[in-house]
Amino acid sequence: MTYPTPDTPPDSARNRFDQFTDQNNDEIDLGELLSILMDNKKVIIIITFIITFMGIATALLSTPVYRADSLLQIRENTPSISDQLDSLTSFFDTKTPVQAEIELIKSRAILGKAIRNLHLDIIATPKFFPVIGKTAAKWLQRLNGSDALSPPLLGLTSFAWGGELIQVDTLDVPDEWQNETITLQATGKNHYQLIYDEEIILEGKVGELAVKQIEGYQQPVRLFVAQLEARPGARFTLIRYSPAKAIEELKMVLSIAEAGKGTGILELAIESDDRKKAVQIVNEIANIYLQQNVEQKSAESQKTLEFLEKQLPELKEQLETATNTLNSYRIRKGSINLDLETQNILTSTVELNTQITLLQQKRDELRQKFTESHPSIIAIDKQISRLQAQINAFDRKISILPETQQIILRLSRDVEVNAELYTTLLNHAQTIRVAKAGTVGNVRIVDYAMPPDLPVKPKKMLITGVALMAGLMLGIITAFARRSLNRSVEDPNIIEKSLDTPVYAAIQYSKYQKLIEKKLKGKSAPGDHHPVLLALENKEDLAIESLRSLRTTLHFAFLEAHNNIIMITGPSPGVGKTFVSTNLAVVMADAGKKILLIDGDLRRGVIHKPLRQHREQGLSELISQEIDLHDAIKPIPQANIDFIATGEIPPNPSELLLHERFEQLLETVSKQYDLVIIDSPPILAATDAAIIGRLTSVTLMVVKSGSHPLRELEQSMKKLVQAGVNLKGVIFNGIPEASSRYRYGQYVYQYDYRNRK
């Protein structure tokens, strides 16, 4: 007999069948997709359950995060009191965009001050058991009371289990230790140890400043613990952030955004697992920002006031000097009255000198901010030049007056100019003082932060829903990935097409058989010898109906056979050959045949179990001539068959089967029975099947759906054929019930009834 290869040309009928299936394969079969999902429903359910469980665990075990927020209003700059009283200060008013205010809040000046005020650069937290410790501590604290220390679980006293508190107001460490983890361990009531790199650094007491100079470092370690509630042995984690690191950490949890475009309302928010601390930080930042804004608005008034307070004493001294000089001159010369024209000249020159002096003061103010080339300073210089030209014109008129009137005019002008300037600046200084006292910034705190009632994270329902959907999608993807990566044969047409071997029967998976297998695993009642077979328990099962079809086919397979012995084998264990052998024997007996069933698997034969018989006194003893044939045959009246068990498992099964007495045994029973069915070991696991198969007329190989790569089936058939076994065909077992790939009419069985020699 020659072994058929995949290159064997198909006949015309098969060509027509291939064309039909190829046309169908070009279309998307929704039933096929659904069958893949149904075949992998257990995998999908398991993956979905695992992912959903992980999502629920994450939602329950994650630390709750709370959000505290405050509202700030950024108003456009409006004229202040000083602006309304003096137009000079309005020169400096500018509008600040909202984005600039956001950046100001994020600046190191504001955040750094908040960190220093609240000691945010010092992190002190209890050390919890990994993953579940914090959640477990909260549950234990609820059970034991909010103020009580929870007892340690499993004797793990170094971890916090609820009720532990610590407050560190001062923590100064060497620069090399900044941003590093330092451990604080409670040693007794109000006493502790500070541990760094598994070395005790210092010991201290709550409420007292502990200081120690560490060898090799310039800065000493300074620690002040204001509060410590913990059992002895409990540990806490301390971290002293560097200024840059502390600001970076604060920026990570701080969010600032405008509540609606163009509204000028800023929402300042912080997310933290400590709701009280979150509120404290938000309000502190808001207050610091408000204070800085007010100070910024009053800074210009302060500079102007400082300038005026420097000028007033000088003007007062000049006024006193000018007044004394005028009085002295009048005393020497007597009372001199100025005529109307001279009086007008005096008034005009006083006004001009006053304006020039005020412009010079304004110029000095601007020079504190701008350079000489600034347009504002250039404009003031031009005004001073014009006024100076007018004064020079009046000086020429004064020069033609009598000497006495010239002197009186000049002295009177000095007095009046100094008096006018002194009075103006004095009033202006007082006005600025009032304005500074009433300075209001353009920032207003609309709402202060309040402790939130509910956490914003984790969103338990959302996490659970996403986990459920992710698990379902991952399960579906896994199902299709398994299908695409699975090289196992799941379609009997592939066997007929690729291996040129007929499929004699396609047996559908039976749920009832699953129940029978569970029943067999249990203990049977004493004296219960009733066989537990599907063909007896449920004769209408689709699997039994497939075996009835096989019975009809076998009738034609034995037309040219030299004996009536059939061997049932398989490529590997667990394919269902024992199921096929036992139930096929019952189905053949139902047709009126006298059947002998032999368990030829002398290595792991188990047919005696469903038949409720003992293994002993069987085939191995029969071949060894320890018993005779009459003693080895066990009648099964409920199934109307006879049975020979394996007997004691021999150490040399292959050598025992090669003995001539085994061949003589088969010749004897072949004459006594209409059909002898032998269940043999798998062909790839042992050579026993090849030995038995040479003595039989018909060999059928049981193949389980989705369990064998095509290469494995090819090797199994090749091994049988090379051993001279007459392999008639394949029994395709375990077709999934819900799979649309095996609906009747989906494919056509084609049998080859010719003897394969």
Side-chain angles (χ1 to χ4, degrees), residues 579-722:
F579 165 79
V580 173
S581 300
T582 53
N583 288 278
L584 178 61
V586 176
V587 169
M588 297 296 287
D590 289 342
K593 301 290 185 179
K594 187 178 181 181
I595 306 298
L596 175 63
L597 176 62
I598 301 176
D599 192 347
D601 189 350
L602 299 183
R603 301 173 186 270
R604 298 176 59 183
V606 292
I607 295 181
H608 62 280
K609 292 183 178 180
L611 295 179
R612 300 297 191 186
Q613 299 294 323
H614 297 289
R615 181 191 296 274
E616 296 76 13
Q617 303 295 312
L619 183 60
S620 61
E621 290 86 357
L622 187 59
I623 298 175
S624 302
Q625 293 185 336
E626 297 179 12
I627 61 174
D628 56 20
L629 182 60
H630 180 270
D631 295 331
I633 296 176
K634 300 177 176 62
I636 311 296
Q638 298 88 343
N640 198 24
I641 63 174
D642 289 338
F643 169 62
I644 297 178
T646 60
E648 292 292 336
I649 301 299
N652 53 346
S654 299
E655 289 76 4
L656 198 62
L657 294 174
L658 283 171
H659 201 280
E660 61 180 7
R661 286 194 291 269
F662 177 64
E663 183 177 357
Q664 294 172 0
L665 171 64
L666 294 184
E667 292 178 355
T668 300
V669 297
S670 175
K671 299 175 182 178
Q672 298 178 4
Y673 291 89
D674 296 329
L675 181 65
V676 178
I677 300 175
I678 303 177
D679 181 24
S680 72
I683 183 61
L684 295 180
T687 61
D688 299 6
I691 298 172
I692 299 172
R694 290 183 303 172
L695 304 176
T696 66
S697 293
V698 175
T699 296
L700 296 177
M701 186 170 68
V702 179
V703 174
K704 188 175 181 180
S705 174
S707 299
H708 315 280
L710 191 62
R711 181 67 176 172
E712 179 180 318
L713 299 181
E714 183 179 348
Q715 290 298 322
S716 300
M717 295 178 181
K718 185 176 182 180
K719 192 172 182 180
L720 289 171
V721 172
Q722 288 177 345

Side-chain angles (χ1 to χ4, degrees), residues 178-190:
Q178 290 184 353
N179 306 325
E180 298 288 339
T181 300
I182 304 174
T183 301
L184 184 144
Q185 180 174 336
T187 56
K189 186 173 179 59
N190 295 330

